[in-house]
Amino acid sequence: MGKLIKRGNLYFPDKEFKKRAWINNNSIYKEASKNPIKFWGKLAKELYWFKKWNKTFAHKPPYFQWFQGGKINISYNCLERNLEKRRNKVALIFEPEPLGEREIKLTYYELYRKVNKTVNALKKLGVKKGDRVGIYLPMIPETIISMLACARIGAIHSVVFSAFSSNALKIRMQEIDAKVLITCDGYYRRGKIINLKDGADKGIKETKIKKVVVVRRASNKIKFVKGRDCFFDDLIKEQSDYCKPEQMNSEDKLFILFTSGSTGKPKGIIHTCGGYSVQAYWTAKGIFDLFDDDIFWSTADVGWITGHTYSCYGPLLNGTTFVLYEGAPDYPSLDRWCHIIEKYGVTTFYTAPTAIRMFEKEVGKVKENLKTLQLIASVGEPINEEAWKWFFAQVGKEKCPVLDTWWQTETGGILITSLPGVGPFKPTFAGMPFPGVQTDILDNKGNKVKANQKGNLVILPPFSPGILRGIYKNPKKYKKTYFGEYGDKVYFTEDIAYKDKKGLVRIVGRADDVIKVAGHRLSTGELENIIDSNNKVAECAVVGIPHKIKGETPVVFVVLNPKKKATEKDILKLITEGIGKIAKPQKIFFVKDLPKTRSGKIMRRILRKLFTGEDLGDLSTLANPQTVDEIKKKIKK
Ligand code: PRX
C-alpha cells in the first residue's frame, strides 16, 4: 500500500501506488486525445463480442453510435466471461440491514445459474427481446439478478427507486408500456419493514403490466392477486439453469432509467448495449483500479445510475467482489458503515458528499482504523473542502486517494475525475476528463472561458461510448435538452464549472432547474407540477436552497385559490404521494403572490436569493416588487 505525496494543496500517488494502478502514466491522456475513437476501440476489445463491430463511431448529429455492427451481451460479459478464472469467487456480498440476519454471498457461478433460471422464468411469462420490464426493488441480490436476466434476454429493464412513490412508479411504467414488474413483499429501512408490494399494487393500476413477480424478502403480509402475481422463488425453482444469451446489436437498448430535468415530467434516458458496457467496464477498472483482491462497495442505490454502473455492471464486468447493502449506512448506529468496511475488508469505498457530511458532523473522529481501504471516492454533488478533508483524514487516514467523480445519468459512467495512479487529488476539484473524453467550458456565446472563470460544461465529439442515445419516445426533448445550447455537435451537461490553470475541473452546480437533495436528482419543475395539480393551489414556486448536510433542499411557496384552504400537511401529502419522502421540502410558505416579471414569469432566482443572502438586484422591473418584502417577512418569522 502506497503513500500520498503532498505538494502545495495537491496530493499525488507515490511509486507504490503507481506500480499497482492500471493507469499510472499521464501520457495516456495524450495518447487518447490524439484519436479518442481508436482509443475506445482498443479498450472495447477487452470485452467479449459475438461479432466485432464494423465502425467504431458514427455521427449523425445530434445522434451518434458506437461499435456499429458489433454484437454483444452484457450479462455474458458479467457472467460467462468470469467463469473460467473466477467460477468460485464471490461476486456479490449481500449485507441485510437487520443485524441478526446473516449475509448472503453469491459466487460468479451461483449468480450465473440464478440469472439463467430467472431468464427462463421471464420467458415463461412471455417476456421477449425488446419488451420493457419494470424493476421496483430495493438493494437485494434479486435486483442484480433481475437486471442481468433482462439484459441476457434483450428485454429492456427500467429500475424504479424503491423509495419512489407508487405514483412515480405508475408514470414511469406507463411511459415505457412495461409488460412485467418485478418487485418484493417488503424490505428493511431503519429497522422498519417497508411494504413495497402495496406501492407496486397501486402503481401498476392504469398500466399495461400483466404479471407481477414478487421476491420474498421481509415475509410481511401482502395482497396477492391470483393469476397476476407470482413469487420469484416459486417461479425460478423449476427452471433450467441455462439460457443462451441473446446476441444484441451494439446499439440495441439495454435499459431505460428515468431522471429529472427542467420540465415537469421525468425523462426516460436510453442506454445501449455496446457503448454502455465498454464505459461501465473501463471506468470501473481504470478509476477504481479494480484487481482480483479488491472488495468494492458503492453505497449508491441501484435505483439511480450510480447503482446501475457501480453497484452492478461495472464491478461484475471486472470480475470483482462487491458489497450490496440493503439499509441505511447509519442504522442501527452511526458506525454501521465502518463495521461493513471492517467486516468484509472493503478496499474501495464509493459514497456521496451528503453521507460524508453527515458522518463528519455526527461521528467526528472515526475510531475504527479501516485499514483495508485503498481508495475512497465521492459522487453526485459538489463536495465542500471541509467534507473532503474530513473524508481524507478520518476515513482514508491520509493514505487513500480521494476521487471526486463527476458524471450524470445521461453519461452512463464517470467522465471527470483524477486517476488513482496519476493524480493529482485536489480538494473540491473533480480533476481531469477521463482519457478519451473531450470536455470544454464555454460562455453563453460559445467562447472558451479562461482559467478560473465559470462557464457551461460541455462534452465534445466523439463524446464517449456510454452517453445516452435518446430520451424514450421524445426525440425533440433530446435535441433541445442536450444539443439546444451550442448546436447539435456539442452536448451541454447543464452544469456550471471552471478549470484551474492546470486544467483540473471544479463543478459548481446546475444551470437548470435540477436540484440535488442528498445527492438525489429532483426537478423543481416536477415538484411544482405535482403541487399545481391540486385544485386548491392557484400557483406555486419551488426553489432549492443550500443545506449544510444535504447540499440542497427544496422550499415551496404556495398561492392558494381564493376561498380554498390547505395546510402544510396537505401539500406535503401531495409531494410524498407524487414523488416520495425524499422530496420532502424544508419549509412550505403560503403567500399571497409570487414575484413576477411584467410578462408573468415567476422569478425563482429572487426567491432563492432570499435564503442565500445574495444581492436581490434591481426589483423595480418586477410587476409586483412589494411581494418580495412580504415574502421576506414571512421567511424571517
Ligand atoms: O450536477 C451534477 C451533479 O449531479 C448531476 C447528475 O445527477 P445524476 O444524473 O443523478 O447522476 C449523479 C451520479 C452520477 C450532475 O449534472 N454531480 C454529479 N457528480 C458530481 C456532481 N456535482 C459535483 N461533483 C460531482 N462529483
Side-chain angles (χ1 to χ4, degrees), residues 20 102 124 148 159 166 239 251 311-312 327 407 455 470 500 525 625:
R20 179 186 139 104
R102 284 187 67 172
K124 206 174 153 198
L148 290 168
V159 182
S166 49
Q239 306 302 324
E251 284 294 322
S311 304
C312 176
W407 57 300
D500 71 2

Side-chain angles (χ1 to χ4, degrees), residues 238-252:
E238 324 246 281
Q239 306 302 324
S240 88
D241 63 1
Y242 182 71
C243 174
K244 209 171 158 205
E246 195 73 37
Q247 298 200 4
M248 303 296 289
N249 285 322
S250 176
E251 284 294 322
D252 280 340

Side-chain angles (χ1 to χ4, degrees), residues 69-168:
K71 293 213 182 265
I72 190 166
N73 188 297
I74 196 168
S75 120
Y76 185 94
N77 274 283
C78 289
L79 302 169
E80 275 95 331
R81 195 167 149 269
N82 287 313
L83 287 188
E84 198 183 311
K85 277 202 216 143
R86 307 180 177 103
R87 168 175 294 257
N88 297 318
K89 176 176 172 176
V90 172
L92 178 168
I93 307 171
F94 170 61
E95 166 81 0
E97 192 190 76
L99 282 173
E101 206 179 311
R102 284 187 67 172
E103 69 274 6
I104 295 172
K105 291 183 179 174
L106 288 181
T107 64
Y108 272 90
Y109 186 63
E110 285 165 333
L111 186 63
Y112 162 80
R113 286 192 73 231
K114 282 191 188 283
V115 169
N116 274 282
K117 279 170 166 276
T118 309
V119 174
N120 288 327
L122 288 177
K123 273 178 138 179
K124 206 174 153 198
L125 296 181
V127 176
K128 297 185 301 295
K129 180 180 174 186
D131 285 343
R132 274 80 55 210
V133 173
I135 299 179
Y136 189 41
L137 282 174
M139 295 287 275
I140 55 176
E142 287 80 359
T143 315
I144 307 297
I145 293 167
S146 302
M147 289 163 78
L148 290 168
C150 289
R152 192 166 181 92
I153 201 180
I156 302 159
H157 63 68
S158 190
V159 182
V160 178
F161 182 38
S162 55
F164 274 150
S165 66
S166 49
N167 204 46

